Amino acid sequence: MEARPPAGEFGSTAPEFSLPDTKGKLWGVGDLRGPRGLLVVFICNHCPYVISIGERLARDARMLQDTGFGVAAICSNDAETYPQDSFENMGPFAEKYGFSFPYLHDADQSIAKAFGAVCTPDFFGFNAFLELQYRGRLDGSGMSGQDTPSELVPAMELIAKTGQGPKDQVPSIGCSIKWKAA
């Protein structure tokens, strides 16, 4: 099911967490943040929206890391209902797209809830003080797979320069997070 996140609560602080990457190493916000800030993106392995941006996400993340941002992706989908999104499948997915950043597993979905994540992909860009400044999209390609100009990189560069994100942000679009039954 397609979903769009709401506008972000700009200025809110990044939620704390401790999540394992694909090799089992635990990461927290303090471990991930760079001197210019942090980008957290909620993704999964099976979403066609994520698959269509996989290479561009890896490229833009490397560019942001090179300029001093920390980057992490988090998979929060219910792996029992969607086995493609299991912890075991995350490592091969990250390798396929050449991720230079940790791909973290949120097995109990508490971190997705703390962030207010809605879809995959769902982008959260934080400044150096870990205040939310970007809740937009990677680019305008949707599922077309076309290489359209990045919206994420210029937004994060603005955050690095001014501490604030752009006034106009287009929300991401993607598959809804697959929540566990209550």
Side-chain angles (χ1 to χ4, degrees):
M1 170 185 276
E2 185 177 281
R4 285 186 187 262
E9 291 183 36
F10 298 111
S12 62
T13 305
E16 290 292 331
F17 59 80
S18 179
L19 294 174
D21 68 12
T22 57
K23 293 179 175 48
K25 179 181 176 183
L26 292 177
W27 294 84
V29 171
D31 305 315
L32 294 164
R33 79 186 293 178
R36 292 191 150 181
L38 174 64
L39 173 68
V40 175
V41 57
F42 286 83
I43 65 172
C44 69
N45 304 334
H46 87 277
C47 171
Y49 290 93
V50 173
I51 292 167
S52 74
I53 67 161
E55 291 173 3
R56 293 189 317 280
L57 173 60
R59 177 199 64 204
D60 287 2
R62 278 190 298 278
M63 291 171 55
L64 292 173
Q65 289 172 309
D66 289 346
T67 62
F69 282 97
V71 178
I74 300 175
C75 182
S76 298
N77 274 4
D78 177 6
E80 287 186 31
T81 306
Y82 294 86
Q84 313 94 305
D85 295 331
S86 70
F87 181 72
E88 295 77 22
N89 289 327
M90 290 171 53
F93 185 84
E95 287 177 27
K96 176 180 179 180
Y97 290 101
F99 290 175
S100 60
F101 50 87
Y103 187 15
L104 309 175
H105 189 231
D106 178 22
D108 68 4
Q109 301 183 316
S110 63
I111 306 310
K113 290 175 184 171
F115 271 81
V118 171
C119 62
T120 59
D122 201 349
F123 295 86
F124 294 81
F126 298 91
N127 64 19
F129 302 104
L130 294 178
E131 299 165 333
L132 182 65
Q133 296 298 319
Y134 189 70
R135 184 84 189 270
R137 62 188 181 178
L138 180 78
D139 59 29
S141 67
M143 281 196 307
S144 73
Q146 294 177 346
D147 192 4
T148 61
S150 177
E151 294 172 23
L152 174 67
V153 171
M156 297 302 288
E157 289 172 344
L158 181 64
I159 292 168
K161 289 178 187 170
T162 68
Q164 296 182 335
K167 290 185 186 223
D168 295 323
Q169 300 180 15
V170 178
S172 189
I173 187 170
C175 298
S176 61
I177 290 183
K178 308 310 181 209
W179 299 105
K180 295 179 179 185

